[in-house]
Every structure is written in structure tokens, then in C-alpha cells.
Amino acid sequence: MVTGAVGSVPRLVVAAPSSGSGKTTVATGLMAALSARGFAVSPHKVGPDYIDPGYHALATGRVGRNLDAYLCGAGLVAPLFAHGARGCDIAVVEGVMGLFDGAAGEGELASTAQVAKLLRAPVVLVVDASAQARSVAALVHGFVSWDPEVRVGGVILNKVASDRHEELLREALDSVGVPVMGVLRRAAQVETPSRHLGLVPVAERSAVAVEAVSAMAAQVGSGCDLSALVALARSAGPLAGAAWDAGEALVSSPPPPLPSPTLGFARAGEPPSTPGASPPDPHRPFGPRPHTPDGLRSTPDGHPVVAVAGGAAFTFSYAEHAELLVAAGARVVTFDPMRDEELPEGTSGVVIGGGFPEVYASELSANEALRKRIAELAALGTPVAAECAGLLYLCRELDGMPMCGVLDASARMSERLTLGYRDAVAVGDSVLAPAGTRMRGHEFHRTVVEPGAGSSPAWGLRTPERRVEGFVEGGVHASYLHTHWASAPGVARRFVERCRTS
């Protein structure tokens, strides 16, 4: 599954006692400041978040990559890190939430602390000091001593009010024995606009995003001891093992065709399934495959074209997904559902990931030609994989505006935030997985789809409650669940094979 030595890329983890302390400002600013000084910086983000990696990519010129021990398993964290850090001088890893916060009820799983330990990386703790003075010593002491396997090697004080405030904070921290490696004053210009799911993605902000990253770099460059931070990164311990490689992952990690257990999944308003009922047959035929229309075949070299949605409305995607599709033999081409009236020439499969279609519903609806084309392909059995935003786009309507109409369902904005990790099992066969395949995913949205599942659901969710979710219709797999295909590379292989044969 992995190839090539991990090596000892200098690395550090930017963490904090809690969300809102300034991790993104410090991590992104540090990445940009080091890049400006000639370092090849590898950017990483703990957890499933898609938005911060966009800012990281803007700061470094390299793809931002996620490290998620829940989605991918602890064993893949170091190999995926090494894959992203190939050829780099230093790596900066932005943490998630508070240092020790992870998957609910799962101990340290998916926490910044766990990732720091898996990477043998030192931690620099970003502390919001705006409403404290001497108490900062007790706070930092607690984080330093809580887990002796986590090495907090430095502190960066954020939102410091004045020289006198800084003096009090430094004096208090002298007794803790952790060096202060930076002091950042309050600066409104480095704050980044947000909306209902967090920061506004880089793709939507263009020049404003560039200005924000430049401001972060300037603040970190002037307020932090970059030499000390680089020295801390160079103190990271060596990593054993090898770097992840998409091609090797496909060869050595076939998807296990597990039988689907009886889990008592139920749709809203329906009773749970009867205990002891026969599970779906994992070898059940996928169903009739319609003939592929002219112009929708593999390229002359035998590589099927997979059209991947992009643009401002669809910005959420893990880089490893496209890499796995390419390794499985596909030619990946991006299209913008807001602007492109036709899919890429030769399209034989469509992937529509996450994003904010609810913000751009009118523009997406106005592109009637593309909506109809996607509906036509779906009706012909063309493989279509849609996650979250993609699910909304395939619905009949979104907030009353016409969408693709592939699914007989409507979507609308909601005040309720749905957020959290999910343990899922494929209820039936689909273009992504055979029945019984178990995967872990993540939900993050403020929308509602009605009904929430079709007659053939995509997933049976085991956490936080047992229910079915999503739609499998012909070649379409649509769900709210974000998954990381590095955890199950066979998903990409299966999808590309369906593109060749549908």
C-alpha cells in the first residue's frame, strides 16, 4: 500500500487549547512566511475540514492535505503525511479544535494530540491571551503535563493587547519552562470572512483570500521567531515505514466484499428491520447496464474520462481521490457546474463532491443545459458519485430552484447543523462499493433532503443512531456522507471499472 521511505522531514503541529484561539491564522501565516523565505512547505490539516487546506494551498503553492485518524485509520496518518511531504523542506500541520479533542466518545481518536504522536512531531501551542495574564501559566502547564507523550515545545501568544500585557504573560510563563516563540497583537485585517459552515473557501474569495494570507504571513513573520520554530520542527523524531502511493494502494488493498450485517436500520417514520432478517446478497448483480451513448466512451488510449465538479460551488475534495482515480486508469477532467454548459468531451463518469451549492443555487439552476445533460447521463446508467453538495445538486430542487432532477427529492437550507463522524455500511451494491462494505465518514451541513433516503439507500449509519441515508439508483450513488477513499482504495477502482463498462 505504501512505497518509498518516510524519512525525517522537519515538522511541527500548530495546536491550541480550544477552537477560536487562532490556529488557522498562525498555521497559514507560518506556512506563507516560510514559503516567502525559500522553504518548500508541506501543508497539512488534522481532521476532515476542507476549507482550511484551501488557505494552506494558497500560502504554500502545494496541495493542502488532511490527516484524519478516524476516516483513514491511525496506520495511514504517517504514510499519507509522507506522501504529501515528498520533496519538502518542512511540514506544518494545523490541528483541529482543542489539542486533546477528537471523535466524540472515542478517547484521543482523531485528535490533534494523537496525530502529533503518530508523526512524532513537536507541538506549538497557540493561546488566546486576550482575557488573561498570570493564569496563562496554569493553562499552558496543564496542556504540557496532561499527556507526557505529547511534546509541547513552544507557545505563541495571540491577541495580546499591549507591551505591558506581553510582559505579564512572559513573566508568568517563565515558571512553566516552555519558550514563547511568538507574540501576535490584535489585527482585524487577518480575520477571514465566515458563513454557516466556517470560513469562506479560497475559491470564492480570490483576491480577498490572497490579501488575507499575505496579512497572516506578515503578522506571523514579524511577531514570531521563525528560526526557533524551524529549529523546533527539526527536532521531530524519525518516522519508520513508507509513504503512501495511490498505485500501490490499489494493488494491495482490494475492497473486502463483506456480507451486510443486520443492523436494524430504519427510515424516518418506519419501524426497524426485523431481527434475523436475511442480509442483502453481496454478490447480487448490479443490474442491467444500458448502452453508452456516442461521445461518452473511454479515450482512445483506454482511459475513461471522469468529470470532477469544481468551481466556487464545489470546492470540497480530498486530493487523494483524484490520485486514486488516475491510478485506477481514469483521465480526470474538472468542470464548473455554474459556467460550463457541457461536460468534458468523452465523459464516462461524474464525481460531484462537497461545497456550497446553497449559496450558488440561482447560478446552478440557471445553467439548464448542464443540468439536463447530467440528468440524461444518469438515466442512461452513467456512474455518478455525489457527496453532500453533490447530493443537493442532483435533487429535484434546492430552496425552490430547479436542480438536476436525478433524484426525486427536494433540498432546503436548515437552521440545524448536522455535524459528526459516522460509521457506515453499504446497504446494497453500488458503483462505489459492494453491499456490506464498511466505511467511516463525516457529515457537515445545514441542509435537509426530503426524503432522506431512497428505496435503495446508499448507507446504513451505525452512529450516532441507526438509520439509512442517501440514494443508489442505477449508476448513481448520492449521499451526505463525506468519505476518504484512501481508507478504501477499491472504491476508486470499482468506480473506474463501472465507467469502462457502463
Side-chain angles (χ1 to χ4, degrees), residues 168-182:
L168 293 172
L169 294 166
R170 286 184 178 275
E171 183 180 286
L173 287 169
D174 282 344
S175 63
V176 180
V178 179
V180 175
M181 294 185 172

PDB file of all heavy atoms in Angstrom, residues 168-182:
ATOM      1  N   LEU A 168       3.572  40.797  31.238  1.00  0.00           N
ATOM      2  CA  LEU A 168       2.932  39.982  32.267  1.00  0.00           C
ATOM      3  C   LEU A 168       2.832  38.518  31.848  1.00  0.00           C
ATOM      4  O   LEU A 168       3.048  37.594  32.648  1.00  0.00           O
ATOM      5  CB  LEU A 168       1.540  40.528  32.578  1.00  0.00           C
ATOM      6  CG  LEU A 168       1.469  41.900  33.258  1.00  0.00           C
ATOM      7  CD1 LEU A 168       0.024  42.386  33.307  1.00  0.00           C
ATOM      8  CD2 LEU A 168       2.061  41.821  34.666  1.00  0.00           C
ATOM      9  N   LEU A 169       2.492  38.288  30.596  1.00  0.00           N
ATOM     10  CA  LEU A 169       2.353  36.924  30.090  1.00  0.00           C
ATOM     11  C   LEU A 169       3.701  36.200  30.075  1.00  0.00           C
ATOM     12  O   LEU A 169       3.805  35.035  30.494  1.00  0.00           O
ATOM     13  CB  LEU A 169       1.749  36.950  28.679  1.00  0.00           C
ATOM     14  CG  LEU A 169       0.307  37.459  28.571  1.00  0.00           C
ATOM     15  CD1 LEU A 169      -0.046  37.750  27.119  1.00  0.00           C
ATOM     16  CD2 LEU A 169      -0.661  36.444  29.154  1.00  0.00           C
ATOM     17  N   ARG A 170       4.716  36.864  29.582  1.00  0.00           N
ATOM     18  CA  ARG A 170       6.049  36.247  29.542  1.00  0.00           C
ATOM     19  C   ARG A 170       6.552  35.942  30.948  1.00  0.00           C
ATOM     20  O   ARG A 170       7.149  34.878  31.196  1.00  0.00           O
ATOM     21  CB  ARG A 170       7.028  37.169  28.812  1.00  0.00           C
ATOM     22  CG  ARG A 170       6.846  37.214  27.291  1.00  0.00           C
ATOM     23  CD  ARG A 170       7.914  38.081  26.648  1.00  0.00           C
ATOM     24  NE  ARG A 170       7.826  38.139  25.209  1.00  0.00           N
ATOM     25  CZ  ARG A 170       8.372  37.243  24.376  1.00  0.00           C
ATOM     26  NH1 ARG A 170       9.055  36.209  24.873  1.00  0.00           N
ATOM     27  NH2 ARG A 170       8.243  37.386  23.074  1.00  0.00           N
ATOM     28  N   GLU A 171       6.340  36.855  31.863  1.00  0.00           N
ATOM     29  CA  GLU A 171       6.778  36.656  33.244  1.00  0.00           C
ATOM     30  C   GLU A 171       6.103  35.429  33.855  1.00  0.00           C
ATOM     31  O   GLU A 171       6.742  34.617  34.530  1.00  0.00           O
ATOM     32  CB  GLU A 171       6.443  37.910  34.054  1.00  0.00           C
ATOM     33  CG  GLU A 171       6.897  37.869  35.498  1.00  0.00           C
ATOM     34  CD  GLU A 171       6.528  39.146  36.216  1.00  0.00           C
ATOM     35  OE1 GLU A 171       7.182  40.179  35.956  1.00  0.00           O
ATOM     36  OE2 GLU A 171       5.568  39.126  37.025  1.00  0.00           O
ATOM     37  N   ALA A 172       4.816  35.271  33.594  1.00  0.00           N
ATOM     38  CA  ALA A 172       4.088  34.118  34.131  1.00  0.00           C
ATOM     39  C   ALA A 172       4.581  32.813  33.532  1.00  0.00           C
ATOM     40  O   ALA A 172       4.707  31.792  34.226  1.00  0.00           O
ATOM     41  CB  ALA A 172       2.595  34.289  33.860  1.00  0.00           C
ATOM     42  N   LEU A 173       4.887  32.829  32.232  1.00  0.00           N
ATOM     43  CA  LEU A 173       5.289  31.597  31.545  1.00  0.00           C
ATOM     44  C   LEU A 173       6.727  31.187  31.830  1.00  0.00           C
ATOM     45  O   LEU A 173       7.121  30.058  31.535  1.00  0.00           O
ATOM     46  CB  LEU A 173       5.078  31.744  30.036  1.00  0.00           C
ATOM     47  CG  LEU A 173       3.607  31.710  29.588  1.00  0.00           C
ATOM     48  CD1 LEU A 173       3.480  32.127  28.129  1.00  0.00           C
ATOM     49  CD2 LEU A 173       3.028  30.312  29.787  1.00  0.00           C
ATOM     50  N   ASP A 174       7.518  32.072  32.419  1.00  0.00           N
ATOM     51  CA  ASP A 174       8.904  31.711  32.760  1.00  0.00           C
ATOM     52  C   ASP A 174       8.950  30.495  33.673  1.00  0.00           C
ATOM     53  O   ASP A 174       9.866  29.665  33.588  1.00  0.00           O
ATOM     54  CB  ASP A 174       9.599  32.896  33.451  1.00  0.00           C
ATOM     55  CG  ASP A 174      10.039  33.961  32.463  1.00  0.00           C
ATOM     56  OD1 ASP A 174      10.080  33.653  31.249  1.00  0.00           O
ATOM     57  OD2 ASP A 174      10.334  35.099  32.897  1.00  0.00           O
ATOM     58  N   SER A 175       7.953  30.357  34.540  1.00  0.00           N
ATOM     59  CA  SER A 175       7.956  29.261  35.512  1.00  0.00           C
ATOM     60  C   SER A 175       7.551  27.929  34.901  1.00  0.00           C
ATOM     61  O   SER A 175       7.746  26.877  35.514  1.00  0.00           O
ATOM     62  CB  SER A 175       6.999  29.588  36.664  1.00  0.00           C
ATOM     63  OG  SER A 175       5.662  29.707  36.187  1.00  0.00           O
ATOM     64  N   VAL A 176       6.960  27.959  33.698  1.00  0.00           N
ATOM     65  CA  VAL A 176       6.468  26.724  33.071  1.00  0.00           C
ATOM     66  C   VAL A 176       7.577  25.997  32.319  1.00  0.00           C
ATOM     67  O   VAL A 176       7.555  24.766  32.180  1.00  0.00           O
ATOM     68  CB  VAL A 176       5.285  27.035  32.129  1.00  0.00           C
ATOM     69  CG1 VAL A 176       4.761  25.775  31.465  1.00  0.00           C
ATOM     70  CG2 VAL A 176       4.166  27.709  32.907  1.00  0.00           C
ATOM     71  N   GLY A 177       8.545  26.742  31.838  1.00  0.00           N
ATOM     72  CA  GLY A 177       9.657  26.121  31.129  1.00  0.00           C
ATOM     73  C   GLY A 177       9.408  25.878  29.655  1.00  0.00           C
ATOM     74  O   GLY A 177      10.156  25.127  29.025  1.00  0.00           O
ATOM     75  N   VAL A 178       8.370  26.478  29.092  1.00  0.00           N
ATOM     76  CA  VAL A 178       8.080  26.359  27.663  1.00  0.00           C
ATOM     77  C   VAL A 178       8.344  27.717  27.019  1.00  0.00           C
ATOM     78  O   VAL A 178       7.752  28.715  27.431  1.00  0.00           O
ATOM     79  CB  VAL A 178       6.621  25.927  27.402  1.00  0.00           C
ATOM     80  CG1 VAL A 178       6.352  25.826  25.906  1.00  0.00           C
ATOM     81  CG2 VAL A 178       6.338  24.588  28.074  1.00  0.00           C
ATOM     82  N   PRO A 179       9.234  27.782  26.033  1.00  0.00           N
ATOM     83  CA  PRO A 179       9.600  29.081  25.459  1.00  0.00           C
ATOM     84  C   PRO A 179       8.460  29.732  24.688  1.00  0.00           C
ATOM     85  O   PRO A 179       7.672  29.067  24.023  1.00  0.00           O
ATOM     86  CB  PRO A 179      10.763  28.737  24.526  1.00  0.00           C
ATOM     87  CG  PRO A 179      10.568  27.300  24.177  1.00  0.00           C
ATOM     88  CD  PRO A 179       9.986  26.676  25.408  1.00  0.00           C
ATOM     89  N   VAL A 180       8.385  31.049  24.801  1.00  0.00           N
ATOM     90  CA  VAL A 180       7.454  31.828  23.993  1.00  0.00           C
ATOM     91  C   VAL A 180       8.122  32.070  22.641  1.00  0.00           C
ATOM     92  O   VAL A 180       9.160  32.711  22.560  1.00  0.00           O
ATOM     93  CB  VAL A 180       7.105  33.170  24.670  1.00  0.00           C
ATOM     94  CG1 VAL A 180       6.220  34.014  23.755  1.00  0.00           C
ATOM     95  CG2 VAL A 180       6.406  32.922  26.007  1.00  0.00           C
ATOM     96  N   MET A 181       7.517  31.550  21.575  1.00  0.00           N
ATOM     97  CA  MET A 181       8.101  31.648  20.234  1.00  0.00           C
ATOM     98  C   MET A 181       7.403  32.680  19.357  1.00  0.00           C
ATOM     99  O   MET A 181       7.753  32.825  18.193  1.00  0.00           O
ATOM    100  CB  MET A 181       8.079  30.276  19.557  1.00  0.00           C
ATOM    101  CG  MET A 181       8.967  29.264  20.245  1.00  0.00           C
ATOM    102  SD  MET A 181       9.052  27.699  19.347  1.00  0.00           S
ATOM    103  CE  MET A 181      10.353  26.867  20.298  1.00  0.00           C
ATOM    104  N   GLY A 182       6.436  33.365  19.931  1.00  0.00           N
ATOM    105  CA  GLY A 182       5.767  34.395  19.153  1.00  0.00           C
ATOM    106  C   GLY A 182       4.746  35.137  19.974  1.00  0.00           C
ATOM    107  O   GLY A 182       4.165  34.581  20.916  1.00  0.00           O
TER     108      GLY A 182
END
